[in-house]
Amino acid sequence: MTAVGIDAIEIWTGKLRLDLPNTFAPEMGEDPEKYTKGLGLESSSFPDVYEDIVTMGANAAKQLMDRKGLTPDDIGRIDVATESAFDNSKPVSTYIAGCLEQVYDGDFHHANKGERKFACLAGTQSIDDAYNWIKAGRNRGRAALVIATDTALYERDDPGEATQGAGAVAMLITENPSIVELSTEQGYGSADETDFLKPNQQFPSVDGKRSVQVYLARMREALEDYESVSGDTHPDDFEYIPFHTPFPGMVRKAAVLGYRHMTRDTEIEDELTSEIGRQPREADFESREEYTEAIRDYMDDLKGMDQYREWYAETIEPTLSISRNVGNWYTGSVHIARLSALRHALERGEELAGQQMLVGSYGSGAQAEVHAETIVDGWTEHVEAVEVEDQLARRYDISFDEYELVHDVHNHEKEVDVEAFTTPEAEFVFTGWGRMNERRYEYVE
Ligand code: COA
């Protein structure tokens, strides 16, 4: 069977940085530790005035094409995943292809282009579409370019304002990939939910607390559905478990639930019994409420156990390092979690070829998806080439007043004229609107 998966990854962060505990929290009258300890965030990325989902996506894609030495002829489809689109008809992928055509010989007229929507899940769904296209033998030897790009902005003073971010992840999906091969097995947890939505409005309507609960419920269903085809999972099966990371604190909640699930009826549950008892079983309780309370108590105890803490430190914590510094990238966020883990493994010189990761994606509205990925020989070279730390370090630190201006600049309802904070160099920039209200872009040297 042909192996299909991720052959290359590139990221593009919004070029501004907001320090959450030191700049944002004091102005909001909040304790900085809500960010560092509660949400698990240090800073978030914002787009400069000439950046948007198209420039970030096109810049990530160009870096990827340059590094891999690709031309438009090598790419047979461009799928963009976003929940920040500004057009209900013309897909963002056409704008990105238009940008790329400014700088490469040839064009993308042969390429199938689309835009995927299912909140933060759409990046993973686009990978899925590419996987199916290649597996079906329709790709004519070409690769798929998947771009997850978002400006995750909330209304001012919405609780979600704490978890904003902006950036893009470009991924090349090919046969015989160089980084990870995707499993055929997948699990889904999907239900009509009203936790987070943007009914023809720029900023989301969010029921934040509910969205956390819905994430956990759908993720659990997806894991069970995955196990129905792959067999039971065990914590030792996976080197890393990248989750969708709207903020690292969310993943802390998902991880303990996942660990409890994976260790039920295993030697780990037996080992822990003398200290915290066996996991509550629903059949032993008179009511659902009593059962739920017992589960909550068990998980509180579980979080303090060495076995759990070691597993968390090795399998989950390494997935959070980029997210902690950039905030929520919506469709890109699970993909930067994978990249964080691989970068961590690289720094530690881990030999990962042949090892597995379990990847848990989620989109509000709501659907979770779980699949496994096998890391392939040669992954180090392709992960090392991604410029992560330099990009993050180059961001311009904004003050709170500047943050307020930047938020206004990107608010579609407002017209404000603000000077750019950084100077674009060798990248695509937004230059204004055309006669049909289309957005226009140029490459600046
Ligand atoms: N020290 C340590 N921890 C602190 C703290 C402090 N001083 N102050 C608050 N915290 C903790 C809270 O206990 C909470 O953690 P917990 O959930 O484990 O209890 C966390 O920090 C967040 O604080 P909270 O008061 O709940 O924040 P909030 O009311 O601003 O809401 C969200 C947080 C995530 C609900 C909100 O930011 C939101 O709506 N985000 C957008 C939606 C989203 O991302 N959903 C995720 C699923 S996709």
Side-chain angles (χ1 to χ4, degrees):
M1 273 226 302
T2 323
V4 175
I6 305 175
D7 188 63
I9 306 173
E10 279 291 342
I11 65 163
W12 188 275
T13 176
K15 292 168 79 174
L16 308 180
R17 171 183 182 275
L18 178 66
D19 185 316
L20 293 167
N22 298 309
T23 303
F24 188 69
E27 291 285 346
M28 301 302 282
E30 289 174 322
D31 184 345
E33 293 202 338
K34 168 182 165 179
Y35 293 85
T36 50
K37 296 209 166 127
L39 297 167
L41 289 166
E42 293 293 337
S43 59
S44 43
S45 286
F46 288 90
D48 205 336
V49 302
Y50 54 83
E51 293 189 291
D52 67 8
I53 51 171
V54 172
T55 64
M56 294 189 299
N59 287 322
K62 180 172 181 298
Q63 281 183 168
L64 186 150
M65 288 181 64
D66 286 349
R67 180 157 63 77
K68 295 289 290 183
L70 302 175
T71 65
D73 197 43
D74 299 315
I75 291 165
R77 60 186 289 155
I78 305 178
D79 291 294
V80 171
T82 186
E83 45 188 310
S84 322
F86 45 78
D87 192 315
N88 285 323
S89 177
K90 182 174 156 61
V92 170
S93 49
T94 60
Y95 282 98
I96 290 183
C99 286
L100 296 171
E101 284 171 353
Q102 292 181 29
V103 294
Y104 292 107
D105 289 337
D107 59 48
F108 290 101
H109 289 201
H110 57 274
N112 186 7
K113 307 181 189 87
E115 190 172 300
R116 255 288 190 175
K117 175 170 69 185
F118 200 138
C120 303
L121 182 64
T124 297
Q125 289 184 315
S126 300
I127 293 179
D128 224 29
D129 292 340
Y131 175 96
N132 294 334
W133 173 68
I134 295 171
K135 283 276 181 180
R138 289 176 144 182
N139 61 319
R140 295 186 249 161
R142 287 180 166 130
L145 185 56
V146 167
I147 301 163
T149 181
D150 272 298
T151 47
L153 292 180
Y154 292 77
E155 196 101 56
R156 295 295 314 278
D157 295 326
D158 183 292
E161 201 182 2
T163 63
Q164 300 178 112
V169 183
M171 291 167 283
L172 195 71
I173 312 301
T174 64
E175 289 171 47
N176 301 320
S178 304
I179 300 180
V180 290
E181 178 189 339
L182 306 177
S183 65
T184 309
E185 294 80 14
Q186 288 178 293
Y188 288 103
S190 188
D192 177 10
E193 300 276 8
T194 310
D195 54 335
F196 172 114
L197 53 158
K198 293 183 176 179
N200 287 331
Q201 63 197 41
Q202 184 189 3
F203 300 123
S205 303
V206 195
D207 184 341
K209 304 284 180 212
R210 178 156 174 70
S211 75
V212 169
Q213 294 314 315
V214 174
Y215 176 123
L216 297 173
R218 302 287 80 80
M219 194 63 81
R220 176 208 166 109
E221 273 177 3
L223 180 58
E224 287 176 345
D225 192 46
Y226 171 74
E227 290 181 323
S228 74
V229 279
S230 74
D232 286 349
T233 53
H234 185 284
D236 295 345
D237 293 346
F238 306 104
E239 291 299 303
Y240 296 105
I241 305 187
F243 281 103
H244 167 52
T245 312
F247 52 95
M250 179 71 241
V251 171
R252 226 170 26 228
K253 295 179 202 288
V256 67
L257 267 178
Y259 189 82
R260 178 179 66 87
H261 178 89
M262 288 193 275
T263 53
R264 192 176 312 136
D265 294 323
T266 67
E267 75 294 352
I268 299 178
E269 184 185 17
D270 295 342
E271 263 170 47
L272 292 171
T273 303
S274 61
E275 291 179 88
I276 58 172
R278 280 174 62 72
Q279 293 192 19
R281 266 55 175 185
E282 194 162 3
D284 299 336
F285 292 85
E286 305 246 310
S287 70
R288 177 95 194 152
E289 288 68 40
E290 283 174 52
Y291 169 63
T292 315
E293 201 173 322
I295 290 276
R296 217 174 287 133
D297 290 345
Y298 182 85
M299 290 203 300
D300 279 346
D301 293 341
L302 183 59
K303 279 187 248 175
M305 293 291 101
D306 287 347
Q307 287 92 331
Y308 175 73
R309 294 168 82 97
E310 277 164 28
W311 172 81
Y312 184 90
E314 283 172 11
T315 315
I316 306 293
E317 185 66 33
T319 69
L320 304 175
S321 57
I322 301 179
S323 163
R324 218 180 270 303
N325 289 298
V326 301
N328 194 356
W329 283 12
Y330 284 165
T331 53
S333 106
V334 65
H335 307 293
I336 53 179
R338 177 199 292 105
L339 181 61
S340 292
L342 294 174
R343 300 279 296 187
H344 171 86
L346 188 73
E347 278 161 26
R348 300 214 312 191
E350 286 176 13
E351 192 29 83
L352 285 187
Q355 306 293 328
Q356 290 214 308
M357 292 189 285
L358 190 71
V359 180
S361 305
Y362 171 76
S364 291
Q367 183 163 301
E369 191 263 9
V370 168
H371 68 266
E373 297 182 358
T374 306
I375 300 149
V376 297
D377 243 347
W379 65 276
T380 48
E381 179 195 333
H382 295 271
V383 169
E384 198 165 19
V386 192
E387 203 197 49
V388 178
E389 288 76 15
D390 287 354
Q391 270 199 48
L392 298 191
R394 272 203 303 268
R395 290 174 297 173
Y396 170 86
D397 257 299
I398 47 177
S399 66
F400 188 79
D401 289 348
E402 289 169 335
Y403 160 68
E404 292 194 301
L405 285 175
V406 168
H407 199 284
D408 283 352
V409 166
H410 294 287
N411 183 339
H412 298 167
E413 308 275 292
K414 296 197 174 177
E415 262 192 55
V416 283
D417 199 13
V418 177
E419 286 273 310
F421 297 92
T422 59
T423 308
E425 200 185 320
E427 66 191 85
F428 297 102
V429 298
F430 168 66
T431 55
W433 282 265
R435 73 181 172 90
M436 290 175 75
N437 211 21
E438 77 276 20
R439 291 172 76 86
R440 301 183 65 90
Y441 300 93
E442 251 173 39
Y443 186 76
V444 295
E445 297 292 343

